[in-house]
Amino acid sequence: MATTSSMFMYSLTVQPPASITHATVGQFTGTKDQQIVTAAGSRLTIYKPDSDKTKLDALLSQDVFGIIRVVAAFRLPGGSKDYIIIASDSGRVSIIDYLPDQNRFNRIHLETYGKSGIRRVIPGQYLAVDPKGRACLIASAEKNKLVYILNRTPQADLTISSPLEAHKPQTLVYGLVGLDTGYDNPVFAALEVDFSECDQDPTGQALGELEKSLVYYELDLGLNHVVRKWSDPVDRTANMLFSVPGGSDGPSGVLVCGLDNITYRHSNQDAFRVAIPRRRGATENPERKRYITAGIAHKMRGQSFFLVQSEDGDVFKVTVQMVEDASGQMTGEVKRLVIKYFDTFPVASSLCILRSGYLFVATEGGDHHLYGFEKLGEADDEIEYYSDSFPTDPTEPYEPAYFQPRGNENVRRFESIISMNPQLDCKVANLTEEDAPQIYSICGSGARSSFRTLKHGLDVNHVVDAMLPRTITAVFTTKVRRDDEFDIYIVLSFDTDTLVLSIGETVEEASDTGYLTSTSSLAVQQLGEHGMVQIHPKGIRHIRADKSIKEWPAPQHRSIVAATTNNRQAAVALSSGELVYFELDSDGSLAEFEEKREMTGTVTCLSLGDIPEGRMRSEFLAVGCDDSTVRIMSLDPEATLESKSVQALTSAPTSLAIMAMADSISGGSTLYLHIGLYSGVYLRTVLDEVTGELSDTRTRFLGPKPAKLFKVSINEQTSVLALSSRPWLGYPDPVTKAFTLTPLNYIPLDWGANVSSELCKNGIVGIRDQSLSIFEIGNVVNNLLQESIPLTYTPRKFVRHPELPLFYIIEADNNTMSPATKQKLLDSSTEINRDGLVLSAEEFGNARAQGHWASCIHVVDPVVTNSVLQQIDLEDNEAATSIAAVSFSSQGDEIFLVVGTGKDMVLNPRSFSAGFIYIYRFLEDGKELEFIHKTRLETPPTALLGFQGRLLAGIGKELRIYDLGLKQMLRKCQAKVAPNLIVGLQTQGSRIIVSDVQESVVYVVYKYQENRLIPFADDAVARWTTSTAMVDYETTAGGDKFGNLWLLRCPPKASEEADEDGAGAHLIHERQYLQGAPNRLELMSHFFPQDIPTSIQKTQLVAGGRDVIFWAGIQGTMGILVPFVSREDVDFFQMLEQQLRSEDAPLAGRDHLIYRSYYVPVKGAIDGDLCERYALLPNEKKEMIAGEMDRSVREVERKISDMRTRVAY
């Protein structure tokens, strides 16, 4: 790493990418159950379908630090477990095994075959596996193909052969699949184009006569070499292959999918061809032909079928019918192809069918879905089309096939996996005025796009709610016997009395319980085998098994101010500062110990831990005093209430909890002391089980209210419920076992306790003032909660109202019919959809129309109504390109919404007939927009921004300043500042940062006296800028379309000169440097996160946290760059990163340093995602790395944890 930078950033992922490019099914755990493995960017995830809850659970997700190009599953002959093959940008083929007992991926083989990176002639673009698991073929887009034989060693371990070459120069590959040949030699089918003649022909005639061929490659296992077995021309538009079941299950061969046709081909069979049915409807173009974009074959006993999906999302069922002999047995000779409409799903990148009756759809954009089969499209009234009706020659004319779209009948959606791909823009803002801000994002494409609100927290399932006439001060739950399965009583404490409720089929008031109800309660506990104890301000009441009651009264003129209990022990603190300790003796009585301890200050809280397995007592008592200390007292009979250790605090403690919790370092459980302070700070410190010493203290600010702590059990794991201005849950992470603290998406609570009943086994009962509620916490894996508002078209940009909690979104879709045109067609059409059904755009997509634009402006309220308040459609084939909320000085600082549009736009090559600037006034507190006027421009404005009470507009290469006139915008100033096209604007003071589409950023200064815009600094590197943000007055953070993040800084001297009064003339006449601005920007930091940043913002993510650079990527990724404060931390993390690169090499074989330096060497950035892999290493490796760094394992883990928890989640 280049360490010359004076600025260092720590890169962390807040939300991983969600754009699944490949998915495959297999028995990866070695059991009969099937799992799904998905690849999204650099992330490999394995999902397990939960049949009871009909949902998908993510077992493991791992960053492979490389771009996963293809994944495939295979099983060795005779085996019961599937393995994963990954083809990535590492130039290596990687074979992965999933180890369910350790819940981790294990790399078995790594074979190098070429250079790293994604290159045209390096294999990795295509991967095909023999269905019997004997071989795999990995191919490049051009020329090279390698076959690996997969086998077992004598020790029954998987082994892979040296590669066998099947290269053919000047050949492009369009598709690759492994043929099902039973146990004959493995055969692979490829779609190829030989362009050797095109290269030699300058006239272009050879290009017109070019043929696409279906080619079979056979691996001869006896001779150990690959031969090109068969080749035959196919339709030139062919783009995809599907393998037809062979051996005893079918005729073998492939389905070749092309434009408007699917053809069955095999070396020893005739060709059979069917047309892809087209939609029938008033808004459909009957001449538009479709491609197949995804599909899956499924084998069942006695039959097999294909589900193939068109680019519209329509799914068709294709079956290959065979000739039967006289006895009704299949002969293996193909009779015909049959195609019929099945259902419509969102357009998928991968389809997976599981034997348990599920269909997993990994969508190209938006949420991924898990469906269940209701039926297989049989015995319905859909028209079947046979290959007998269509010619096998694609050039011959034929009658098109049509179908009527309808709602889904064959499948039912069970669950959706949240995905924010593609994410077009994102903003962090605190609209709800909570402790921490929320994330607002626009994502999705077409009619499936949405506005999302993301909030840090765990989802809560509300069970019951009740209001009581008075304010409740505390709540407790208890069993009667130690071996009771469920809690029997809920005890509510009020200011002056106590109410006991019994839990059964209903919750009702209980009588004759033995509890003293005429006073408030401080603690309630099930004691011994069959007894209960109630501690109240005036004493202790022990309720025995025979309902006899034994009282211990508090000494005269003193009362109990704090108490703690467990199953065999109790301790109380008196108002005089005295501690009294009790323990259950052999006859079941609660015996007072003679040793008492006088504390110097008033005791505010106490805590006893649970009794460890096989022990008689908890060894320690934690005592919190108002002198801002916590003391650990021994409960050993030889040294009762002897002080063991003291910890000084920043504020008085309000709550203590000693708990044994799962620990990532020891691998087992560790005793922790949890401390809640009056200042709202939470501390967790390790309590030594032998000496009572306190160490490794970690802190977290929860909120402005005093923190109270309660022990709860979530998913059979001991957890801590922390209550401040909002409730939090501290729990061990399901994968790493590291302690995680996350807020709950629930109302603030004053007290909480675990409750277990038949209806709610892992519930929590909470109180707030007069209300009592019971709720459950289910999923602790997903800590970002989402709310979604559907949108009409693909959102492009959005802007927040400067003063109100409202957003304004511009949306536009190309080749999409506008509402006016659609309505006109529907009115003039006599054709009615089935049952008069109007098709939902969200399910079936918006109607297509070549060359048309559909665009609108939405007003969205994500806080109060959580809905779209107003939609304004743009007419005359205009599409919105930019938006800004601008305050105009000439109108008394009134804020207007400014929208830039383009008319008749063609994206490539870029053309248009005009551009416009629309002005809207805010009405009804911003909930409605009123059109004022529009101004015609020669070029669509691609960037808008409010600047010193006027409008700053990027129009083509020019930067212009406009003021608001009565009938149109008034141009005040303009300058050509960008070489190609302005795509973004940022400003502070008189300085403007202009982003160019392919030439990085330009620093421009506006001189008010001269009314001039003067560029004074630009970049030396051509960066294809997608988004920028000013970090400070000199520094800009940006992202480009190749997936890089960078920080640029203006030289201090140039920055000062630009801001000098009267420096306009000097800057104008300053000599240009290499046809650019006079000064060059310096690169401070550069990092490759492997997602295209679409939004960058300097912000805080947590209450009391530092400023970070927050970025959002198009694949749904969210990440942050955290600035380092000290050089010592930089050196520590650089050394840790270096150790992890060698000790935890990336799964797919990519070199980590080269990966993060994909286009430019990484500079001034440390990969926090790699550092966080430290927690998942085996203990021996952890200790070795910590030893190399002269630190303890706990110290290393604490530093890694603090980097995330102090600024993010």
Side-chain angles (χ1 to χ4, degrees), residues 688-708:
D688 191 291
E689 295 181 31
V690 179
T691 65
E693 291 291 324
L694 297 171
S695 61
D696 187 27
T697 303
R698 305 193 188 181
T699 62
R700 182 79 179 263
F701 177 65
L702 302 184
K705 287 189 177 178
K708 295 178 188 171

Side-chain angles (χ1 to χ4, degrees), residues 305 307 315-317 340-345 357-359 371-382 406-414 834:
F305 63 88
L307 292 182
V315 176
F316 303 98
K317 182 181 178 183
K340 65 188 288 194
Y341 174 57
F342 186 75
D343 271 337
T344 299
F345 314 140
Y358 292 119
L359 170 69
Y371 293 90
F373 283 103
E374 301 279 306
K375 53 181 183 171
L376 295 175
E378 292 156 355
D380 57 17
D381 57 355
E382 291 298 335
R406 52 158 169 78
N408 289 354
E409 293 178 355
N410 297 302
V411 296
R412 182 159 60 95
R413 186 188 298 174
F414 284 136
R834 173 182 306 196

Side-chain angles (χ1 to χ4, degrees), residues 32 101 188 219 273 299 379 401 492 631 644 648 668 850 908 997 1017 1091 1147:
K32 287 184 178 178
D101 50 340
F188 299 95
L219 167 64
R273 183 167 171 267
K299 280 196 288 192
L492 303 178
R631 289 174 168 80
K644 286 287 187 182
Q850 194 67 30
N908 192 19
V997 71
D1091 197 355
L1147 201 62

Side-chain angles (χ1 to χ4, degrees), residues 54-231:
T54 58
K55 67 188 189 75
L56 281 178
D57 293 329
L59 295 176
L60 177 64
S61 182
Q62 183 172 334
D63 197 328
V64 304
F65 300 107
I67 299 170
I68 303 172
R69 301 170 74 182
V70 198
V71 289
F74 76 95
R75 182 186 307 187
L76 291 172
S80 61
K81 184 174 187 176
D82 289 325
Y83 298 95
I84 307 159
I85 301 186
I86 299 177
S88 68
D89 62 340
S90 63
R92 298 164 161 184
V93 63
S94 179
I95 298 182
I96 308 295
D97 181 18
Y98 173 66
L99 305 177
D101 50 340
Q102 299 173 32
N103 193 26
R104 69 180 182 89
F105 291 119
N106 177 42
R107 189 172 68 207
I108 302 174
H109 275 286
L110 189 65
E111 294 292 324
T112 304
Y113 54 72
K115 291 179 180 177
S116 63
I118 296 177
R119 303 163 193 261
R120 198 172 62 174
V121 293
I122 301 297
Q125 183 65 29
Y126 299 100
L127 175 66
V129 176
D130 170 51
K132 297 296 182 201
R134 297 166 296 171
C136 71
L137 189 150
I138 187 164
S140 59
E142 183 189 332
K143 183 184 174 184
N144 295 324
K145 296 182 191 68
L146 297 171
V147 177
Y148 289 94
I149 299 171
L150 306 164
N151 217 326
R152 284 194 182 90
T153 62
Q155 289 77 35
D157 294 329
L158 177 74
T159 182
I160 188 168
S161 71
S162 299
L164 303 172
E165 296 182 357
H167 304 333
K168 189 169 188 294
Q170 295 181 307
T171 301
L172 295 174
V173 178
Y174 286 82
L176 185 70
V177 73
L179 238 64
D180 189 348
T181 58
Y183 284 101
D184 291 345
N185 281 334
V187 174
F188 299 95
L191 274 178
E192 293 183 356
V193 168
D194 186 335
F195 64 89
S196 52
E197 290 180 13
C198 297
D199 269 3
Q200 313 300 324
D201 176 26
T203 64
Q205 186 181 344
L207 178 65
E209 297 169 356
L210 202 64
E211 280 189 341
K212 192 172 280 186
S213 303
L214 175 65
V215 183
Y216 281 7
Y217 290 91
E218 183 178 9
L219 167 64
D220 193 316
L221 292 170
L223 299 175
N224 204 32
H225 76 133
V226 183
V227 293
R228 191 180 166 97
K229 182 182 178 184
W230 178 71
S231 174

Side-chain angles (χ1 to χ4, degrees), residues 32 58 93 115 168 181 280 604 749 829 873 1014 1042 1075 1116:
K32 287 184 178 178
V93 63
K115 291 179 180 177
K168 189 169 188 294
T181 58
R280 187 179 277 126
T604 58
L749 297 172
S829 170
D873 286 304
I1014 308 165
F1042 295 103
Q1075 285 82 47

